[in-house]
Amino acid sequence: MNRIKMTTPLVEMDGDEMTRIIWQMIKDELLTPYIDLNTEYYDLGLKHRDETDDQVTIDAANANMKYGVSVKCATITPNLARQEEYGLKRLYKSPNGTIRAMLDGTVFRAPILVKGISPVVRKWKKPITIARHAYGDVYKNSEMKIDVPGKAELVFTAQDGTVTRKTIFEFTGPGVIQGIHNLDASIESFARSCFTYALAVKQDLWFATKDTISKIYDGDFKAIFEKIYEEEFRDRFNEAGIIYFYTLIDDVAARLMKNEGGFVLALKNYDGDVQSDMLSSAFGSLAMMTSVLVSPHGYFEYEAAHGTVQRHYYKHLAGETTSTNSVATIFAWTGALRKRGELDGNSELAAFADKLEHATLTTIESGKMTGDLILISDLENKEKLSTLGFIKAVRETLDTLM
Ligand code: NAP
Ligand code: MG
């Protein structure tokens, strides 16, 4: 068989633990047999990040800016336990945080729906896509532990030397403080990404913050969205027959349960982090959620929404058979390959991505799935496969489509 050629390299970021194992399996079984895979490889595994003082993460993000499209494996964000486990020189920042800070933009996360797996919320019929702002707030914070009584202040020193102060709190005992920020430019590009994405998929856009409490900070988000909507998108939304709807984050939590789905929900960084895990679990599984970072500069980074599945990895290391779901990681690859294909006018590559997704879903709908889905699938005849067994079953289905 002639393997599909790629003109421009895809930036490949390898990762950690169970997802690193899955990464190699996907390449061996589902990609290289069909594609003459042209990737620029960056090893973001924790060991190599430590060896390079995390330079590899920065190099990978730069390559993403050079070529436009990347695919990323889940990676460990080290904490103290990980520092000990891997003998790290220091506690590195989250690679996703570093990459997002460099690329800017918005992370869109959508559940992968399959027959036989019904959302917990019976009302939900269509996917709900979460658009998570990928810059700033608590992810780029400055924190302090307060041990003695004293006054905490917000101090802003303008370039001309003018100082503005605001009291945060007068401490009489121990406590904590935190400073966070965001940029109008980043919020504007977040808003534009969301409005543009909603138009592209012809779905309503919801946006929520807590501007009743955070009148200035969240109020800024609300005002920027409103301004950009009025000035650039209102007419196009009307034409497309979709709406832009702003409400409070707690109101969204309530409305979500009574709605059919089929819309894009834009959220601030932290809200998006929490809500995307809630939605993916409620739609079925963390492993059935796609994730793509869309930067306003036209860069795309595809990944799975879940982590490195540490518990399964330790089973794998102990020689036990694992049944880890590879669907989100497969869809990270297909998303990236399709986008690469679209940008290069390589329709064969884009068509392959469609086929691989179709093969993956058909395999699950035929009853062959991993343990996490066995628990929630209402199919009558279902078979639990191992991590590799499932990937091989997808390959079998794929071969019937090629
Ligand atoms: P996790 O890897 O997402 O796994 C949490 C649990 O969810 C697993 O123990 C497993 O449940 C279930 N699960 C997640 N993905 C699954 C899959 N593909 N198939 C089957 N079950 C799956 O989160 P974590 O264990 O909290 O974090 C592990 C590491 O991942 C951490 O070091 C964290 O820093 C990192 N992380 C990375 C990213 C990223 O790179 N994007 C995101 C989040 C976390 P059961 O154990 O019950 O089977
Ligand atoms: Mg998260």
Side-chain angles (χ1 to χ4, degrees), residues 66 72 90 172 249 338 378 383:
K66 178 173 171 195
K72 181 182 168 292
R90 56 193 172 89
T172 52
I249 180 72
R338 185 185 298 108
D378 34 65
E383 183 191 351

Side-chain angles (χ1 to χ4, degrees), residues 163-182:
V163 174
T164 318
R165 286 172 188 278
K166 236 177 181 178
T167 300
I168 299 171
F169 195 68
E170 307 248 8
F171 285 90
T172 52
V176 279
I177 53 173
Q178 163 170 258
I180 58 172
H181 80 282
N182 223 299

Side-chain angles (χ1 to χ4, degrees), residues 95-387:
N96 287 325
T98 303
I99 295 164
R100 284 171 199 160
M102 287 174 70
L103 304 187
D104 194 0
T106 305
V107 176
F108 293 90
R109 289 190 169 167
I112 302 162
L113 301 191
V114 285
K115 288 193 204 91
I117 294 168
S118 330
V120 175
V121 179
R122 267 165 301 161
K123 267 267 176 194
W124 292 351
K125 302 277 182 277
K126 295 175 242 167
I128 297 169
T129 302
I130 296 259
R132 170 182 169 188
H133 187 210
Y135 179 84
D137 300 349
V138 72
Y139 301 84
K140 223 169 165 27
N141 63 4
S142 186
E143 311 184 301
M144 229 184 253
K145 175 86 184 92
I146 303 299
D147 296 317
V148 294
K151 182 160 86 166
E153 289 178 293
L154 274 180
V155 180
F156 177 73
T157 313
Q159 250 174 7
D160 69 4
T162 320
V163 174
T164 318
R165 286 172 188 278
K166 236 177 181 178
T167 300
I168 299 171
F169 195 68
E170 307 248 8
F171 285 90
T172 52
V176 279
I177 53 173
Q178 163 170 258
I180 58 172
H181 80 282
N182 223 299
L183 301 170
D184 283 6
S186 175
I187 302 168
E188 281 161 14
S189 62
F190 171 46
R192 285 196 184 94
S193 309
C194 293
F195 288 124
T196 307
Y197 186 94
L199 275 173
V201 294
K202 283 210 165 37
Q203 291 182 355
D204 292 347
L205 177 69
W206 294 17
F207 179 47
T209 71
K210 190 74 179 175
D211 70 291
T212 44
I213 300 299
S214 170
K215 290 187 188 345
I216 295 178
Y217 198 105
D218 282 14
D220 197 47
F221 278 80
K222 182 187 179 187
I224 288 172
F225 264 70
E226 228 157 65
K227 179 167 182 290
I228 289 180
Y229 176 65
E230 289 302 334
E231 288 177 0
E232 301 170 32
F233 290 94
R234 179 183 273 283
D235 294 344
R236 285 194 271 165
F237 265 52
N238 285 342
E239 251 166 61
I242 58 175
I243 59 159
Y244 167 59
F245 171 61
Y246 175 85
T247 186
L248 291 169
I249 180 72
D250 37 352
D251 182 43
V252 157
R255 280 174 189 266
L256 271 182
M257 303 300 151
K258 301 179 236 161
N259 192 285
E260 282 212 338
F263 57 91
V264 181
L265 174 57
L267 295 171
K268 289 174 60 201
N269 213 345
Y270 174 80
D271 298 336
D273 190 351
V274 177
Q275 289 294 333
S276 65
D277 280 15
M278 194 274 282
L279 275 169
S280 61
S281 308
F283 266 109
S285 160
L286 250 185
M288 298 293 284
M289 186 94 165
T290 63
S291 182
V292 55
L293 174 74
V294 180
S295 121
H297 318 291
Y299 315 131
F300 298 84
E301 184 215 12
Y302 292 83
E303 56 163 4
H306 60 77
T308 60
V309 213
Q310 181 181 14
R311 206 179 63 81
H312 296 209
Y313 180 60
Y314 288 146
K315 277 180 70 177
H316 169 83
L317 286 184
E320 290 175 48
T321 305
T322 56
S323 182
T324 313
N325 191 332
S326 50
V327 173
T329 309
I330 294 174
F331 273 63
W333 274 100
T334 52
L337 290 170
R338 185 185 298 108
K339 181 53 76 181
R340 192 66 272 164
E342 282 169 16
L343 293 177
D344 292 349
N346 187 343
S347 54
E348 233 192 325
L349 190 61
F352 173 79
D354 290 343
K355 277 184 199 151
L356 178 49
E357 288 183 2
H358 183 68
T360 307
L361 300 183
T362 311
T363 303
I364 298 170
E365 288 172 357
S366 78
K368 293 178 179 160
M369 58 191 85
T370 44
D372 56 321
L373 300 185
I374 286 280
L375 295 173
I376 52 173
S377 164
D378 34 65
L379 292 183
E380 300 256 311
N381 296 308
K382 48 189 176 180
E383 183 191 351
K384 176 177 166 179
L385 300 180
S386 67
T387 308

